[in-house]
Amino acid sequence: MTDLQAASQASIVEQQAKEIEILKRRLLEAQKLTAMGELVSTTTHEFNNVLMSVINYARMGLRHHDEQTRNNCFEKIAAAGERAAKITTGVLAMAKNRGNRMEPTDLAKIVDDTLVLLEREMRKYRIDVDFQNQDVPAALANGNQVQQVLLNLMINARQAMPQGGRLILRLSYDAADHMVDLLVRDHGVGIPSDQLPQIFDAFYSTKSGPDETGKGGTGIGLAACRDIVEAHQGKIRVQSTVGMGTAFTIRIPAAELNPNGQPDVSHVVPVSGGSMLPTSSVRQ
């Protein structure tokens, strides 16, 4: 091979690598838009319920002139208003384009915001959510992207428990590795061992298609989750046993403290692919 041929081949490889990165970014954005679309119906119904509470208690307050009844109505209206604010804040935070900026992020708040968005859906499908919030340091993360991962994993968990069940979310800190761990554990149907090695591959899905809510089945959700976590210099691991459930563990580096005791702010590296992470069975 001549030097000219080698240079030409290297140029082609470099161009292909750039095109792959562009496609991965487009895939990530497509998954984000899909997740946003899937939440529209859920949040619209929930927001409508909040508005009905405000209207009904306002009418009750207008009908009754005693101070106690009116005060009770004001308290209910205020509570509904606070819930409406949480819903809109969660949706706007997810819709906001934060780019690839990484900053110290309170993952507990990300979990709380996501639970607000999915509360109605979890209640509808009889999913009991157990959030075990240990005292963990801030993670160096992009909050928007982490929420995208969490939404995807929680929706997958809900779909794995068609008859209802228990979903465990757990935050913990691995001081030895300086990593914040987020566990998403369902007690659903589980994933067959022969399918586990492929679940993070783009366009591979264990489902036959979208469910009755229009969610899932595209095969891009877990691939995007993997790319997001790896872009955070983190790891994602899946453990599953058929008939017992599936557990996803996301590991993200904790934010470093500079000499002044303040967390350093960095920027995420470009989203890229990576090798499949090890899998093993869920242990009780």
Side-chain angles (χ1 to χ4, degrees), residues 27-250:
L27 179 65
L28 187 63
E29 185 63 25
Q31 204 278 334
K32 176 182 175 182
L33 293 175
T34 300
M36 280 296 298
E38 290 171 348
L39 284 173
V40 168
S41 176
T42 297
T43 53
T44 299
H45 282 293
E46 187 66 16
F47 202 82
N48 184 63
N49 290 337
V50 172
L51 288 178
M52 290 305 299
S53 294
V54 171
I55 292 171
N56 289 336
Y57 280 111
R59 288 174 175 170
M60 184 182 297
L62 290 173
R63 288 198 306 268
H64 296 80
H65 300 286
D66 62 287
E67 184 176 355
Q68 183 61 47
T69 300
R70 287 197 167 190
N71 285 341
N72 289 339
C73 289
F74 284 140
E75 289 175 0
K76 296 293 185 181
I77 291 172
E82 290 174 358
R83 174 153 185 79
K86 286 183 179 180
I87 294 171
T88 54
T89 297
V91 173
L92 290 174
M94 185 178 179
K96 184 179 179 182
N97 182 10
R98 301 177 185 174
N100 291 327
R101 183 174 177 79
M102 302 269 281
E103 58 189 4
T105 302
D106 181 1
L107 294 190
K109 186 177 187 307
I110 298 294
V111 174
D112 285 337
D113 289 345
T114 307
L115 288 174
V116 170
L117 294 177
L118 291 179
E119 181 179 348
R120 179 180 181 274
E121 181 167 340
M122 294 298 171
R123 187 169 61 244
K124 175 182 177 181
Y125 289 96
R126 304 178 302 283
I127 305 298
D128 180 22
V129 181
D130 180 9
F131 179 24
Q132 302 171 5
N133 182 11
Q134 299 181 18
D135 185 18
V136 302
L140 187 60
N142 179 296
N144 184 282
Q145 293 180 5
V146 172
Q147 185 179 42
Q148 185 177 339
V149 172
L150 184 57
L151 277 166
N152 190 283
L153 295 181
M154 288 182 65
I155 290 171
N156 283 353
R158 188 271 293 168
Q159 292 173 329
M161 298 183 286
Q163 305 304 319
R166 183 174 178 229
L167 172 62
I168 298 175
L169 305 175
R170 180 186 302 138
L171 277 174
S172 58
Y173 176 54
D174 184 344
D177 293 334
H178 197 49
M179 302 286 279
V180 179
D181 293 352
L182 173 57
L183 172 75
V184 181
R185 204 279 198 222
D186 68 60
H187 293 75
V189 295
I191 303 172
S193 59
D194 62 329
Q195 296 183 11
L196 280 175
Q198 288 85 45
I199 63 170
F200 290 107
D201 293 345
F203 306 113
Y204 180 86
S205 177
T206 60
K207 307 164 189 172
S208 59
D211 66 6
E212 61 182 18
T213 67
K215 297 181 175 67
T218 61
I220 64 175
L222 288 178
C225 289
R226 180 202 61 189
D227 284 350
I228 289 173
V229 174
E230 290 182 351
H232 281 70
Q233 304 301 308
K235 297 179 181 180
I236 182 169
R237 180 180 63 197
V238 58
Q239 302 171 291
S240 189
T241 299
V242 173
M244 295 176 62
T246 302
F248 285 89
T249 302
I250 304 164

